[in-house]
Amino acid sequence: MAPSISCLFLAVLLSAGCEVITSSDQTCFEKEANKTYNCENLDLSEIPGTLPNSTESLDFSFNFLPAIQNTTFSRLINLTFLDLTRCQISWIHENTFQSHHQLSTLVLTGNPLIFMAETALDGPISLKHLFLIQTGMSSLEFIPVHNLKNLETLHLGSNHISSIKLPKDFPTGNLKVLDFQNNAIHYLSREDLNSLKQVTNLSLNFNGNDIKGIEPGAFKSTVFQSLNFGGTVNLSVIFSGLQNSTVQSLWLGTFEDTDAQDLSSAMLKGLCEMSVESLNLQTYRFSDLSSTMFQCFTHLQQLDLTATHLTGLPSGMEGMNSLKKLVLNVNNFDQLCQINAASFPSLTHLYIRGNMKKLHLGTGCLEKLENLQKLDLSHSDIDASDCCNLQLKTLPHLQSLNLSYNEPLGLQSEAFKACPRLELLDLAYTHLRVNAAQSPFQNLHLLQVLNLSHCLLDTSNQHLLEGLLDLRHLNLQGNHFQDGNIPKTNLLQKVGSLEILVLSSCDLSSIDQQAFNSLGKMHHVDLSHNSLTSNSIEALSHLKGIHLNLAANGIRVIPSHLLPILSQQSTINLSHNPLDCTCSNIHFLTWYKENMHKLEDSEETLCANPESLRRVKLSDVMLSCGITPVGAFFLVVFLLLLVILLIFVVKFLLRWKYQHI
Ligand SMILES: *[C@@H]1O[C@H](CO)[C@@H](O)[C@H](O)[C@H]1NC(C)=O
Ligand SMILES: *[C@@H]1O[C@H](CO)[C@@H](O)[C@H](O)[C@H]1NC(C)=O
Ligand SMILES: *[C@@H]1O[C@H](CO)[C@@H](O)[C@H](O)[C@H]1NC(C)=O
Ligand SMILES: *[C@@H]1O[C@H](CO)[C@@H](O)[C@H](O)[C@H]1NC(C)=O
Ligand SMILES: *[C@@H]1O[C@H](CO)[C@@H](O)[C@H](O)[C@H]1NC(C)=O
Ligand SMILES: *[C@@H]1O[C@H](CO)[C@@H](O)[C@H](O)[C@H]1NC(C)=O
Ligand SMILES: *[C@@H]1O[C@H](CO)[C@@H](O)[C@H](O)[C@H]1NC(C)=O
Ligand SMILES: *[C@@H]1O[C@H](CO)[C@@H](O)[C@H](O)[C@H]1NC(C)=O
Ligand SMILES: *[C@@H]1O[C@H](CO)[C@@H](O)[C@H](O)[C@H]1NC(C)=O
Ligand SMILES: *[C@@H]1O[C@H](CO)[C@@H](O)[C@H](O)[C@H]1NC(C)=O
């Protein structure tokens, strides 16, 4: 209390003592000392002298460098990453990067390139990733790549390239990604692709090119990691070109605004003449849904039919025994049984997210999927008064179930008995009606992650989390506790193995000192976006080394006896609190500066009080609450006057008393 009292005197006597230091440095932002800098959007027309020669990673995007040459970056010879997005570069002169042997990523996206010297890229022999998106180029001959032996990815999207024929000296030895999306490529010949024959495992992207023809066999006997022909109008064209090729992942999806032809079984016959593991047909329509439609799908391991306007899958599909992953998001099923799950006996992953109609779960529709490990039924308007044992009957290997963003679900005790091996259960934003005094999660001994955020739970039910012996991660965000208080006996006592606990936005104003006593293993606690004051910090006194988020609460002053509790944690977020920057909080303010390395988001950790320091960063506040010589002098004078006054008063009182005897 002493400092606050003396500061009060000081304030009265000197009305000074508080000083603000803010930096108004308009130069680059240092992300890692001597190595990583961000100079984005600073209107710079040269590399600032303040950048050290040792800079390795530089984001220089959105500045102004109409021409670059050998002197522009000559000082920064250790650059490994250079981003020059939208710097209005038109000219790249001889030997611009001559001494940049370490440069591994160069981003030239969004520059209207007119000229690139033959020797412009001679220096960076380590260059792996080159971005030339939206640079206005129309031919691959424009890029002086001959020296780039290590090139792995080349991004050429949104240009005017019409032929993919690589120049003779194009180094393909390490090439992994060639991205031609949104160019003007309409025809692919065998000769075009011959230059890529030696490259195995290439990812080639033709998304958004209106491809009208491929020479038959152009892709034959080449192995691709992925091929993307997104947005093609007539898929027959693609299939005839891909005969006898081998593709890991084939992306043929289209877009709502493409006037794509409906898929017929004749069209999809092309799949029988090539080898594909993973196929995406997003947003197409099927002309009819007979079982022959899928006759060439039998070797697929993954199939994505997102938004293909399906109301069901045909029964009697045969031979789909290899399929492991099926994505049926954003379709129009009425009932889960309409997917005819029995046709895909090996399925391990099934996604039916964002169904366009109310999805009825039916009874045992997935019964035959004995190997199913992951099921996503989120955003599908599902409701059920008694979930989920009948609906999810016999899914013995299910590990992950997502029922988030659905309509109200009623849960009885042991509601997930049908899937005893669950490790992750996501029920976020689904209103839960727990009908039992026992836990609906009782039998889930292997459950590790439970998301119950925004479930409108009855948090006073102390049995709610019973039986979750291995629970590590619990999210209770957005649920309410009675009177905004977590009492001493609460539902968390049953989950002693918890490591991560999220209680943000729970309208909390207090936490009992012993509320978390049974939680000894926690390493991450999120209490942000509540109305907590510093009193609640006491509940964490037995925890050490945790990542603690106390952002956006009502913390003003943190008294000194609570500081050791904060000191023993590893990372703390105190941003967006109405922190007090007067001398009554001097212990905390001093602690704060000594522990900056533990604090997150110091940019947003600001003073709310006094008015003169409002919105000043805590780290910039210089308070002097001790007694300065001048202050001490006035203080002594003041005290002396006080004593003299006191003596007079006593004297006066005594005299008055004697006079009245
Ligand atoms: C950065 O460079 C300066 C000057 O060369 C040096 O004093 C400082 O220790 C360096 N900092 C780090 C973190 O390497
Ligand atoms: C560049 O990196 C090398 C190796 O790490 C180092 O020896 C050299 O001092 C660095 N150059 C500059 C200008 O920092
Ligand atoms: C840049 O190029 C010019 C002309 O070719 C040359 O005279 C100069 O020495 C070069 N500068 C650097 C830093 O290499
Ligand atoms: C940075 O490099 C330039 C040119 O190579 C040199 O003139 C300068 O002295 C260097 N600066 C430091 C601080 O080493
Ligand atoms: C092919 O590339 C993918 C990703 O680019 C990689 O995961 C895979 O291991 C590669 N396969 C071979 C055989 O190199
Ligand atoms: C594909 O392979 C088959 C059998 O090897 C062959 O008959 C056919 O001509 C090939 N197709 C093309 C376009 O090369
Ligand atoms: C689609 O392409 C195939 C093969 O090139 C062609 O036979 C067919 O006529 C085309 N369909 C339409 C409607 O243009
Ligand atoms: C469950 O689905 C929601 C919405 O589709 C998604 O945001 C969430 O990440 C999913 N949960 C998990 C654990 O993947
Ligand atoms: C629920 O929490 C899990 C684990 O943090 C997370 O992966 C998932 O995305 C969350 N779900 C939603 C809908 O945010
Ligand atoms: C600190 O918490 C605030 C509010 O929740 C959040 O916006 C911010 O990202 C957090 N900071 C870090 C570094 O996680």
Side-chain angles (χ1 to χ4, degrees):
M1 272 289 118
S4 63
I5 290 170
S6 52
C7 191
L8 196 82
F9 279 126
L10 272 183
V12 172
L13 295 167
L14 302 172
S15 63
C18 299
E19 198 186 327
V20 186
I21 295 175
T22 43
S23 63
S24 56
D25 207 356
Q26 249 303 321
T27 54
C28 308
F29 175 64
E30 180 176 83
K31 291 173 103 177
E32 191 187 346
N34 299 347
K35 281 193 176 162
T36 308
Y37 291 85
N38 186 338
C39 308
E40 198 183 335
N41 204 5
L42 291 177
D43 242 343
L44 299 170
S45 53
E46 59 177 14
I47 301 296
T50 49
L51 280 189
N53 285 356
S54 56
T55 302
E56 290 176 12
S57 173
L58 176 60
D59 183 348
F60 202 76
S61 53
F62 297 91
N63 285 301
F64 182 64
L65 291 175
I68 54 179
Q69 55 225 349
N70 64 354
T71 47
T72 314
F73 307 102
S74 59
R75 210 161 56 73
L76 311 178
I77 55 166
N78 278 357
L79 279 178
T80 59
F81 174 93
L82 179 60
D83 188 345
L84 296 171
T85 299
R86 294 192 203 289
C87 284
Q88 301 180 42
I89 301 171
S90 303
W91 300 82
I92 303 183
H93 289 287
E94 284 77 14
N95 296 314
T96 296
F97 299 102
Q98 61 181 358
S99 25
H100 300 86
H101 307 308
Q102 329 280 346
L103 193 62
S104 133
T105 303
L106 177 60
V107 185
L108 289 166
T109 296
N111 287 293
L113 296 181
I114 294 171
F115 171 73
M116 228 173 154
E118 193 56 32
T119 56
L121 298 176
D122 271 5
I125 45 168
S126 315
L127 199 70
K128 286 187 177 158
H129 312 290
L130 180 57
F131 293 79
L132 290 164
I133 300 163
Q134 265 191 39
T135 48
M137 75 172 65
S138 55
S139 163
L140 290 173
E141 306 279 352
F142 185 80
I143 322 165
V145 281
H146 53 270
N147 212 26
L148 306 178
K149 302 275 180 295
N150 292 299
L151 198 65
E152 288 180 9
T153 67
L154 180 57
H155 294 267
L156 297 165
S158 302
N159 284 305
H160 313 297
I161 297 167
S162 57
S163 164
I164 70 153
K165 188 158 181 279
L166 300 181
K168 267 203 188 63
D169 55 356
F170 197 100
T172 53
N174 288 304
L175 209 57
K176 294 193 167 70
V177 175
L178 253 183
D179 190 337
F180 288 106
Q181 51 179 310
N182 302 319
N183 273 286
I185 300 162
H186 304 309
Y187 187 74
L188 297 169
S189 68
R190 280 191 207 208
E191 203 191 338
D192 288 345
L193 283 141
N194 267 344
S195 47
L196 293 171
K197 271 275 177 298
Q198 303 82 354
V199 190
T200 52
N201 210 18
L202 183 69
S203 294
L204 198 48
N205 191 345
F206 294 113
N207 195 20
N209 284 282
D210 183 11
I211 295 203
K212 299 199 168 77
I214 303 181
E215 191 173 345
F219 286 79
K220 79 171 176 198
S221 58
T222 311
V223 179
F224 292 93
Q225 169 60 32
S226 76
L227 283 180
N228 186 330
F229 288 101
T232 305
V233 173
N234 183 353
L235 267 196
S236 301
V237 169
I238 306 296
F239 283 126
S240 64
L242 291 183
Q243 267 179 44
N244 296 349
S245 65
T246 303
V247 187
Q248 240 306 303
S249 166
L250 181 59
W251 208 96
L252 298 175
T254 185
F255 309 102
E256 291 294 353
D257 58 354
T258 310
D259 204 10
Q261 290 165 21
D262 290 357
L263 300 178
S264 64
S265 47
M267 234 180 216
L268 293 173
K269 270 221 168 71
L271 272 177
C272 282
E273 268 131 59
M274 59 182 298
S275 161
V276 183
E277 256 180 42
S278 167
L279 176 66
N280 189 319
L281 290 171
Q282 190 168 311
T283 324
Y284 273 102
R285 250 174 220 282
F286 292 94
S287 60
D288 70 288
L289 273 173
S290 57
S291 54
T292 54
M293 181 64 80
F294 298 99
Q295 60 187 335
C296 289
F297 285 44
T298 51
H299 294 294
L300 291 180
Q301 293 185 20
Q302 302 187 11
L303 175 60
D304 191 330
L305 297 175
T306 296
T308 46
H309 313 273
L310 293 172
T311 52
L313 285 172
S315 56
M317 270 188 282
E318 275 169 23
M320 301 280 269
N321 298 337
S322 314
L323 200 68
K324 298 244 158 56
K325 179 172 164 183
L326 178 60
V327 183
L328 296 171
N329 298 342
V330 201
N331 281 299
N332 304 305
F333 305 112
D334 282 314
Q335 229 231 14
L336 194 51
C337 286
Q338 287 164 340
I339 71 161
N340 278 303
S343 305
F344 320 103
S346 311
L347 219 55
T348 57
H349 291 64
L350 176 60
Y351 300 80
I352 308 177
R353 177 185 284 197
N355 196 55
M356 305 288 277
K357 290 184 181 167
K358 188 177 205 59
L359 183 65
H360 298 277
L361 290 179
T363 304
C365 294
L366 306 178
E367 216 168 4
K368 293 281 155 41
L369 303 182
E370 285 182 7
N371 299 308
L372 200 66
Q373 291 169 14
K374 183 163 181 174
L375 176 60
D376 186 345
L377 294 167
S378 60
H379 277 294
S380 288
D381 239 348
I382 294 168
D383 65 9
S385 56
D386 183 4
C387 202
C388 297
N389 281 326
L390 283 175
Q391 293 87 343
L392 303 180
K393 204 154 83 184
T394 49
L395 293 173
H397 292 105
L398 197 67
Q399 290 171 6
S400 165
L401 174 60
N402 196 341
L403 280 166
S404 64
Y405 296 98
N406 278 304
E407 296 298 308
L409 296 181
L411 300 179
Q412 307 283 355
S413 79
E414 302 200 359
F416 298 92
K417 216 172 174 174
C419 25
R421 303 196 66 84
L422 271 188
E423 290 171 17
L424 183 150
L425 178 56
D426 193 344
L427 292 162
Y429 292 91
T430 295
H431 178 183
L432 299 182
R433 299 205 172 107
V434 178
N435 302 333
Q438 282 155 329
S439 162
F441 313 114
Q442 190 84 52
N443 62 306
L444 299 178
H445 302 315
L446 302 176
L447 199 71
Q448 296 191 4
V449 180
L450 179 57
N451 195 338
L452 294 174
S453 62
H454 302 276
C455 286
L456 303 176
L457 286 175
D458 173 13
T459 51
S460 63
N461 176 0
Q462 288 173 31
H463 303 288
L464 189 70
L465 302 174
E466 230 160 51
L468 295 170
L469 305 178
D470 203 22
L471 195 67
R472 318 241 170 112
H473 184 154
L474 175 62
N475 190 338
L476 287 172
Q477 177 177 4
N479 288 289
H480 290 215
F481 287 78
Q482 206 172 1
D483 304 324
N485 173 47
I486 305 185
K488 186 173 162 187
T489 38
N490 60 60
L491 75 175
L492 298 171
Q493 277 160 337
K494 304 288 199 265
V495 282
S497 53
L498 220 54
E499 292 172 5
I500 301 173
L501 174 61
V502 182
L503 285 166
S504 55
S505 308
C506 287
D507 263 344
L508 291 174
S509 50
S510 63
I511 300 175
D512 187 274
Q513 261 186 50
Q514 290 168 32
F516 297 152
N517 267 9
S518 52
L519 306 176
K521 294 185 176 164
M522 286 207 290
H523 56 66
H524 190 121
V525 180
D526 185 353
L527 294 167
S528 63
H529 297 275
N530 283 299
S531 311
L532 296 171
T533 60
S534 59
N535 291 340
S536 301
I537 293 175
E538 212 132 29
L540 305 163
S541 61
H542 64 294
L543 295 169
K544 290 196 172 61
I546 62 171
H547 182 164
L548 175 61
N549 194 345
L550 283 167
N553 273 288
I555 299 173
R556 294 170 187 280
V557 173
I558 303 184
S560 57
H561 73 277
L562 294 177
L563 295 176
I565 303 177
L566 294 184
S567 291
Q568 71 200 21
Q569 313 308 347
S570 68
T571 314
I572 304 160
N573 189 338
L574 280 168
S575 62
H576 303 281
N577 273 291
L579 292 164
D580 191 308
C581 294
T582 63
C583 284
S584 52
N585 208 9
I586 187 68
H587 288 299
F588 166 65
L589 293 171
T590 312
W591 176 90
Y592 183 87
K593 284 193 191 167
E594 286 165 1
N595 289 275
M596 281 296 287
H597 58 283
K598 292 192 171 174
L599 288 145
E600 277 185 338
D601 233 357
S602 54
E603 295 292 312
E604 291 297 329
T605 310
L606 310 172
C607 301
N609 187 47
E611 197 58 40
S612 60
L613 290 176
R614 232 182 131 77
R615 298 206 57 78
V616 170
K617 280 192 273 174
L618 237 64
S619 50
D620 288 346
V621 170
M622 304 277 272
L623 269 191
S624 56
C625 301
I627 302 174
T628 59
V630 186
F633 173 75
F634 278 103
L635 191 66
V636 168
V637 171
F638 184 82
L639 288 176
L640 221 68
L641 287 174
L642 205 70
V643 169
I644 293 168
L645 194 77
L646 221 70
I647 292 171
F648 273 109
V649 168
V650 169
K651 240 173 157 178
F652 175 77
L653 278 177
L654 287 176
R655 195 177 298 160
W656 186 79
K657 213 173 161 190
Y658 283 119
Q659 280 172 356
H660 287 76
I661 285 177

